[in-house]
Amino acid sequence: MSKEPSASASDGSSSADTAAESDSILDRLYPNGMGWKRTPQPLSHWVTQLGSDRYAARKLARTKLLAAGADAVPLLMKHFAGSNLEARKSTIELLGMLVQLDTPWSESSAMGALSDLADNQHGIVAQLAVSTRRAAVDARSGAALKSLVLDGAVVGYRESAIGSRTKTRLVLQVGAPFHGGEEGLRWLAWVRGIEVLDVQDLNLNVAMMKHIVGMPDCQTLKLIDCEISDDAFKQLDFMRPMSSLDLRYKKLNEEQFALLGRLPLRESLVLMGTGGGDAERETLERALPGVKVAVRNGGFLGVSCSSSSLDACTVNEVVLDSGADLAGVQKYDVIVRINDQKISRFDDLLEEIGKHHVGDEVKIKLLRSGVPVNCTATLQKLKN
């Protein structure tokens, strides 16, 4: 079960805190009681008090409205146009606090109201609404990442490979031992500023896939060795435009290959261990003009090389415990042949290894300080 981080308003108050504070303020304002607890004022009264010239009245109104939560939002917006500048500032600040008290599974009327003011007001009011919205979004993103990490997700900068291209990026990895389930993945809707979402070894249902494809700033989605039901797979149809999709070790049927051809991808589609071959690749290339499509059988050697553009396949990294590592391949080795196929570049290596399945053995001929070396590697699954 997902652990919801303790949401708080920007002044550190929770809904319960603000309710208690309002009672305390009333007790100080009316030391003899004066019946205020027996005849509570409607929320509309407290909205009008936001523009009061009395500080205590304004503070009391803020605490009452904050304690009311989403119920206060329609009244705040209804009275906004006719209120003075002080009341408008207080309304915007209140909406920012209410946004931070939301959860991803609640309808955020406060965020909608705040966005409306940011987009449609002018001058100092618009500036305050824009800055408040930005702060609220940043706070929500921080709360989301905290909850995801508590549930076992990992976030950090790492080498992220798509095809033969590797780049250091900020990656959110969700996989074993992630234990947040469907509820935990709801927090993805609030994550900002992370472009790579790496999902591994999870059983994904429809709701979970919906949360995954809805992550706002995601530009590269990796689904690796996940069990994805047919209905869940269809959620990819609702994917927002992004650069790349990397799908590994999920056998696809004809309908699912056709769905991939409709995706709003801009750069690349990499399929490993999904079935299919040249015919499926050519069909996808026609359906996705300008997108580099790779369809591979899923075998993974476990090396990266300096560049796909150089006329030599020089190893610059060997993945620990990979087939290459266990076969004795070392950094700075130059791979010149796989089985009977000549290798001149890293792309050649990827193409040749991509013809093989997990568990296949390949014979490797390489040069180590100019000396020929032969070895045999057993291909494994590619995981991050």
Side-chain angles (χ1 to χ4, degrees), residues 268-286:
S268 63
L269 171 62
V270 178
L271 306 176
M272 294 189 64
T274 60
D278 289 342
E280 286 75 14
R281 176 182 55 77
E282 291 169 1
T283 299
L284 287 168
E285 287 175 336
R286 289 193 296 269

Side-chain angles (χ1 to χ4, degrees), residues 29-345:
L29 286 174
Y30 307 109
N32 296 321
M34 296 182 65
W36 66 266
K37 291 184 179 178
R38 295 188 296 275
T39 57
Q41 295 285 1
L43 286 178
S44 57
H45 167 77
W46 300 117
V47 173
T48 62
Q49 292 300 298
L50 289 175
S52 173
D53 57 2
R54 299 172 59 205
Y55 171 77
R58 295 197 304 272
K59 183 174 182 181
L60 177 57
R62 286 164 61 95
T63 55
K64 282 288 186 181
L65 292 166
L66 190 57
D71 291 340
V73 175
L75 290 170
L76 288 168
M77 296 302 290
K78 180 179 178 180
H79 289 80
F80 189 85
S83 59
N84 60 28
L85 182 59
E86 184 66 38
R88 292 186 179 194
K89 290 181 177 179
S90 293
T91 295
I92 291 171
E93 291 168 0
L94 275 170
L95 290 173
M97 295 177 191
L98 289 170
V99 166
Q100 295 180 46
L101 292 173
D102 280 336
T103 57
W105 46 91
S106 63
E107 291 293 332
S108 182
S109 56
M111 177 57 87
L114 191 58
S115 295
D116 180 66
L117 296 177
D119 297 337
N120 297 301
Q121 293 296 310
H122 305 282
I124 190 172
V125 173
Q127 293 174 14
L128 180 58
V130 168
S131 62
T132 302
R133 178 175 61 179
R134 185 184 304 115
V137 168
D138 290 345
R140 295 203 318 179
S141 182
L145 286 174
K146 179 180 178 181
S147 182
L148 288 162
V149 169
L150 286 173
D151 279 332
V154 178
V155 61
Y157 285 95
R158 63 183 62 188
E159 294 288 320
S160 177
I162 289 290
S164 61
R165 307 296 184 263
T166 301
K167 183 178 179 181
T168 300
R169 301 181 183 180
L170 185 59
V171 178
L172 175 60
Q173 187 176 74
V174 181
F178 184 78
H179 49 79
E182 177 185 334
E183 183 175 308
L185 290 179
R186 288 178 175 181
W187 291 98
L188 291 174
W190 281 8
V191 173
R192 294 295 189 275
I194 296 181
E195 295 186 353
V196 181
L197 176 58
D198 183 341
V199 184
Q200 299 190 25
D201 301 305
L202 294 183
N203 294 322
L204 301 176
N205 59 29
V206 172
M208 295 169 79
M209 278 293 290
K210 182 178 179 180
H211 301 318
I212 288 168
V213 301
M215 182 172 156
D217 293 341
C218 180
Q219 290 300 308
T220 297
L221 174 60
K222 298 185 176 187
L223 299 172
I224 303 172
D225 213 9
C226 292
E227 292 292 332
I228 310 174
S229 70
D230 290 346
D231 287 338
F233 194 87
K234 292 177 182 177
Q235 289 300 309
L236 287 173
D237 237 343
F238 302 98
M239 187 174 76
R240 67 185 65 232
M242 63 177 60
S243 297
S244 305
L245 173 65
D246 185 347
L247 182 62
R248 307 180 198 169
Y249 311 115
K250 155 68 180 171
K251 291 296 182 182
L252 303 179
N253 57 38
E254 184 177 345
E255 180 182 355
Q256 290 167 339
F257 272 110
L259 186 154
L260 293 178
R262 299 194 298 269
L263 297 184
L265 297 172
R266 292 189 294 269
E267 295 182 9
S268 63
L269 171 62
V270 178
L271 306 176
M272 294 189 64
T274 60
D278 289 342
E280 286 75 14
R281 176 182 55 77
E282 291 169 1
T283 299
L284 287 168
E285 287 175 336
R286 289 193 296 269
L288 300 169
V291 175
K292 184 174 182 180
V293 179
V295 179
R296 301 177 184 139
N297 286 331
F300 175 59
L301 179 60
V303 298
S304 65
C305 298
S306 54
S307 173
S308 60
S309 63
L310 298 178
D311 291 328
C313 189
T314 303
V315 176
N316 62 11
E317 184 180 1
V318 181
V319 177
L320 183 65
D321 293 330
S322 65
D325 183 36
L326 297 177
V329 178
Q330 299 176 15
K331 187 174 182 179
Y332 304 125
D333 286 348
V334 179
I335 299 175
V336 296
R337 193 170 292 276
I338 295 292
N339 293 332
D340 295 324
Q341 184 64 41
K342 181 181 178 181
I343 304 297
S344 298
R345 302 183 305 160

